Amino acid sequence: MRLAVDAMGGDFGPRATVRGSIEALAALPELEVLLYGARDQLEAQLGSLPRSCRNADIPERVTIVDAPLRLPDTLSPSRALRLPSLSSGSSLHAALQAVVDGRADGCVSAGATGVLMALARQQLGMIAGLSRPAISTAIPARGPGRCYLLDLGANVDTRPTHLLQFARIGAEMARAVDGVACPRVALLNVAVEPGRGERRIREADELLRRQHHAAFDYRGFVEGDGLFGGAIDVAVCDGMVGNIALKSGEALIELLVERLSACFQHSWRSRLASLLARPALSRFRREFDPVRYNGASLLGLQRTVVKSHGSADAHGFGWAIRRAHHEIAGQLSAGLAAALATGAAG
Amino acid sequence: MRLAVDAMGGDFGPRATVRGSIEALAALPELEVLLYGARDQLEAQLGSLPRSCRNADIPERVTIVDAPLRLPDTLSPSRALRLPSLSSGSSLHAALQAVVDGRADGCVSAGATGVLMALARQQLGMIAGLSRPAISTAIPARGPGRCYLLDLGANVDTRPTHLLQFARIGAEMARAVDGVACPRVALLNVAVEPGRGERRIREADELLRRQHHAAFDYRGFVEGDGLFGGAIDVAVCDGMVGNIALKSGEALIELLVERLSACFQHSWRSRLASLLARPALSRFRREFDPVRYNGASLLGLQRTVVKSHGSADAHGFGWAIRRAHHEIAGQLSAGLAAALATGAAG
């Protein structure tokens, strides 16, 4: 399996993407990576890695492809599409093109979501029946669980039929990547009783109840507190709702960790406690670090594209690569095409 | 100042509401409380309070009014309105009626939101220009701050003009209760750039930019991660978005605290640390305990009504009473009527 990595995107560029790629290569022996970016920068990063990262066969599994242009952060998606002369020389465009040409099985980028989505859609094309990708990520849940939340902002002003598509897409994600035989799918709403809440959600609920879904187990409505309970595998919502829930949740975790540290600096006793508690606290941080769940999938494209958080460090970027790997290994794109074709016929 | 308390509502009924009322009375010397509920249960609760709660003049500031009927949790708002014979004998109805008759300045209940809102609207009436109350609560923010989020679920399928009303309402809240001279108000959206996101939010943004708002400082869009940053005083959104953000945030805090405790049970070293860290950890829990922020305000009614979390304990219920007290002391209802009248004229 070969992944094309846009090594110039994100807040840290090659500093995060190169090392993140090496971490993923160490964990996934059958993976190869094509790094698209400024050759000198990428070579410098590779050369500066600690010896532990350079052992074994890893260097043989990395290929640098010179594509020095980093798309400006201020570029709008529509300008990126209108000015192919600008975008076509970029590391992102080149990485996506490797997927189009069959030189790679999928693409990972930490570039801006809007531009990534626009170019991916233009270069790779959508699965029949879909007009725009949905964005999804896995959020932590009780038990060993996780829950896929979608859409996360690619689609606002959605109609009931879109929510129905998201249900199919999310179910296929849980099946292909996590091996859940019959994923439990719910619609996010302000109440659990049928007939309550937003009109489009009530209509989507009717659509979901009316049809028989062999591919998943439709559980009706779930409220916001049900996201982390471990009782569902997929939570479906409009992009506005998912985007606000995800971003506010991330910021809340950050605030909590900050305040927790402050509490531990309060007295000599708590400072002593924090010394002793260091392993416990770092275990806690590790578990809730957003990078653990880093990697938002652009779903509905003909091929796998994963967006890493712009602020992700090397470790976070490595997780995004693993996510792309799992999606390709689970043949998610083909599964989605099949699921949506069945849905359209059903 | 006198508050009417529906003492039968919530998961714990009089066990939480009576003691919570006493806590609030101890903190607020000028407050009087009318407790509506089953006289024998309320007297038993009052009699069982520890001596520390019974000192001074508190007993003189509590009046029990016998209204034994507790509305069933399964009652729908529309049935509550259609069957006055059922609801009119209830502790909630009686407490609201005390406000209508001028025997109390406001009402606090931990009963179901839908029924509380329906009866409050019917009995107290709305401020001119509003059709339904907005629900708002204060969420924690960086610095000494807090941020009012609204709407939290009373209004879904909102139109741009509703969002404009929420902006006026939230600003008046921050002014009347927290003394913020010119509250910073923002619209929640998936992006901060003008022209992006949901259509109704873009339209509300235009409405807010077009008009001059002497009463607040309109800051444009804010994303979900901006809720806790301390840079805004009021965040405005549709009820669906606010409801999901609030409930998922509460559940996330619960999950984090649970996992944090588990991390501290991991080894002898972390168990020792947790003994030493106990004050730090309880300081942390206190700070993020939703009861600290307990009390969602039903805004736009002719008088003050505060809804306590159904699962709040006595301490949490006491905070809801304090919130009602602050709103009445700040003359919030009159301020809202003035703000909305100006808005309508403007």
Side-chain angles (χ1 to χ4, degrees):
Chain A
M1 185 189 306
R2 205 181 291 132
L3 281 175
V5 167
D6 164 21
M8 303 304 276
D11 299 353
F12 305 112
R15 272 187 297 150
T17 57
V18 172
R19 183 149 184 180
S21 300
I22 302 299
E23 280 189 21
L25 286 164
L28 302 165
E30 80 285 16
L31 184 66
E32 292 177 32
V33 163
L34 302 172
L35 290 175
Y36 286 83
R39 179 179 292 279
D40 51 342
Q41 290 181 44
L42 303 189
E43 280 174 350
Q45 282 298 325
L46 278 173
S48 71
L49 290 176
R51 185 172 297 269
S52 63
C53 297
R54 281 182 289 173
N55 61 358
D57 62 333
I58 290 182
E60 292 165 27
R61 294 191 278 134
V62 182
T63 309
I64 290 179
V65 186
D66 195 38
L69 179 69
R70 180 198 154 100
L71 287 174
D73 293 333
T74 52
L75 184 70
S76 73
S78 54
R79 268 180 67 85
L81 292 178
R82 272 202 317 272
L83 299 170
S85 57
L86 173 64
S87 51
S88 68
S90 67
S91 56
L92 172 59
H93 190 281
L96 287 168
Q97 200 56 39
V99 184
V100 176
D101 300 343
R103 281 173 287 127
D105 303 297
C107 174
V108 179
S109 171
T113 310
V115 171
L116 171 58
M117 196 157 73
L119 290 184
R121 216 171 130 196
Q122 188 187 52
Q123 293 180 252
L124 300 176
M126 297 295 302
I127 289 172
L130 287 181
S131 54
R132 289 168 70 79
I135 304 180
S136 180
T137 197
I139 57 172
R142 280 209 175 69
R146 55 173 62 197
C147 173
Y148 288 101
L149 181 62
L150 77 165
D151 176 58
L152 297 177
N155 304 270
V156 297
D157 294 316
T158 46
R159 291 191 298 274
T161 49
H162 294 128
L163 298 173
L164 184 66
Q165 282 178 340
F166 298 165
R168 291 198 182 105
I169 291 171
E172 191 54 30
M173 179 77 150
R175 200 201 58 71
V177 175
D178 299 305
V180 182
C182 190
R184 299 156 300 171
V185 176
L187 285 172
L188 262 183
N189 198 0
V190 296
V192 292
E193 300 85 6
R196 289 196 50 201
E198 262 190 352
R199 176 189 301 222
R200 64 179 157 191
I201 299 172
R202 285 182 276 128
E203 289 174 7
D205 176 57
E206 276 171 37
L207 289 177
L208 279 158
R209 286 183 190 282
R210 211 152 51 205
Q211 299 180 13
H212 175 69
H213 304 280
F216 59 90
D217 174 12
Y218 176 59
R219 294 291 183 106
F221 296 146
V222 69
E223 295 188 54
D225 52 0
L227 285 179
F228 310 101
I232 53 166
D233 301 300
V234 178
V236 168
C237 59
D238 174 72
M240 170 76 188
V241 173
N243 188 282
I244 301 294
L246 183 76
K247 285 188 185 155
S248 65
E250 284 177 355
L252 184 60
I253 292 177
E254 226 173 85
L255 180 65
L256 283 159
V257 168
E258 203 179 290
R259 295 274 174 97
L260 186 64
S261 309
C263 284
F264 272 108
Q265 295 309 314
H266 194 259
S267 66
W268 67 264
R269 183 182 156 143
S270 57
R271 282 197 294 274
L272 176 60
S274 87
L275 277 177
L276 275 167
R278 201 164 279 172
L281 290 175
S282 38
R283 204 172 309 120
F284 173 73
R285 281 208 192 94
R286 243 189 343 265
E287 199 167 353
F288 275 98
D289 194 337
V291 307
R292 284 283 308 211
Y293 297 93
N294 187 36
S297 309
L298 270 56
L299 299 172
L301 295 160
Q302 296 271 4
R303 299 299 183 82
T304 291
V305 175
V306 170
K307 151 92 177 109
S308 167
H309 216 296
S311 67
D313 61 8
H315 192 57
F317 196 81
W319 276 100
I321 293 184
R322 289 180 203 212
R323 170 143 292 282
H325 168 272
H326 299 336
E327 290 181 13
I328 295 164
Q331 300 187 294
L332 178 59
S333 300
L336 277 177
L340 289 163
T342 316
Chain B
M1 187 190 302
R2 205 180 290 132
L3 281 175
V5 167
D6 163 21
M8 304 304 278
D11 299 353
F12 305 112
R15 271 188 298 152
T17 56
V18 172
R19 183 150 184 179
S21 300
I22 301 299
E23 279 189 21
L25 286 164
L28 303 165
E30 80 286 16
L31 185 66
E32 291 178 31
V33 164
L34 303 172
L35 291 175
Y36 287 83
R39 179 180 293 278
D40 51 342
Q41 289 182 43
L42 304 188
E43 279 174 351
Q45 283 297 324
L46 278 173
S48 72
L49 291 176
R51 185 171 297 270
S52 63
C53 297
R54 281 182 288 172
N55 61 358
D57 63 333
I58 291 181
E60 291 164 29
R61 295 192 277 134
V62 182
T63 308
I64 291 178
V65 186
D66 195 40
L69 179 69
R70 180 199 154 101
L71 287 174
D73 293 334
T74 52
L75 184 69
S76 73
S78 55
R79 269 181 65 85
L81 292 177
R82 272 201 317 272
L83 298 171
S85 57
L86 172 64
S87 52
S88 69
S90 68
S91 55
L92 173 58
H93 190 280
L96 287 167
Q97 201 56 40
V99 185
V100 176
D101 300 343
R103 282 173 287 127
D105 302 298
C107 175
V108 179
S109 172
T113 310
V115 171
L116 170 59
M117 196 158 74
L119 290 184
R121 217 171 131 197
Q122 186 186 53
Q123 292 180 251
L124 300 176
M126 297 296 300
I127 288 171
L130 287 181
S131 54
R132 287 169 70 82
I135 304 181
S136 181
T137 197
I139 58 171
R142 280 208 175 69
R146 53 173 65 197
C147 174
Y148 288 102
L149 181 62
L150 78 166
D151 177 56
L152 297 177
N155 304 269
V156 296
D157 293 316
T158 47
R159 291 191 300 273
T161 49
H162 294 129
L163 298 173
L164 184 67
Q165 284 179 341
F166 297 165
R168 292 199 180 104
I169 291 171
E172 190 53 29
M173 180 76 151
R175 200 201 58 70
V177 175
D178 300 306
V180 182
C182 189
R184 298 157 301 172
V185 176
L187 285 173
L188 263 182
N189 198 0
V190 296
V192 293
E193 300 85 5
R196 290 195 50 201
E198 260 190 354
R199 176 188 300 223
R200 62 179 159 192
I201 299 173
R202 286 182 274 126
E203 288 175 6
D205 176 56
E206 276 171 36
L207 289 177
L208 279 158
R209 287 184 189 282
R210 214 153 49 206
Q211 298 180 12
H212 175 68
H213 304 279
F216 59 90
D217 174 13
Y218 177 59
R219 294 290 182 104
F221 295 147
V222 70
E223 294 187 55
D225 52 2
L227 285 179
F228 309 100
I232 52 165
D233 301 300
V234 177
V236 168
C237 59
D238 173 72
M240 171 75 188
V241 174
N243 190 282
I244 301 294
L246 183 76
K247 285 188 186 155
S248 65
E250 284 177 355
L252 184 59
I253 292 177
E254 223 173 90
L255 181 64
L256 283 158
V257 168
E258 202 178 291
R259 295 273 174 99
L260 186 64
S261 308
C263 283
F264 272 107
Q265 295 310 315
H266 194 260
S267 65
W268 66 266
R269 182 181 158 144
S270 58
R271 281 196 293 273
L272 175 60
S274 86
L275 278 178
L276 275 167
R278 201 164 280 172
L281 290 175
S282 39
R283 204 174 309 119
F284 173 73
R285 281 209 192 96
R286 240 189 345 263
E287 201 167 352
F288 276 97
D289 194 339
V291 306
R292 287 280 310 209
Y293 298 92
N294 187 35
S297 309
L298 269 56
L299 299 171
L301 294 161
Q302 296 271 5
R303 299 299 183 81
T304 290
V305 175
V306 170
K307 151 90 176 111
S308 167
H309 217 294
S311 67
D313 61 7
H315 193 57
F317 196 81
W319 276 100
I321 293 184
R322 290 180 202 212
R323 169 143 293 279
H325 168 271
H326 299 336
E327 290 181 11
I328 295 165
Q331 300 187 295
L332 178 59
S333 299
L336 277 178
L340 290 164
T342 315

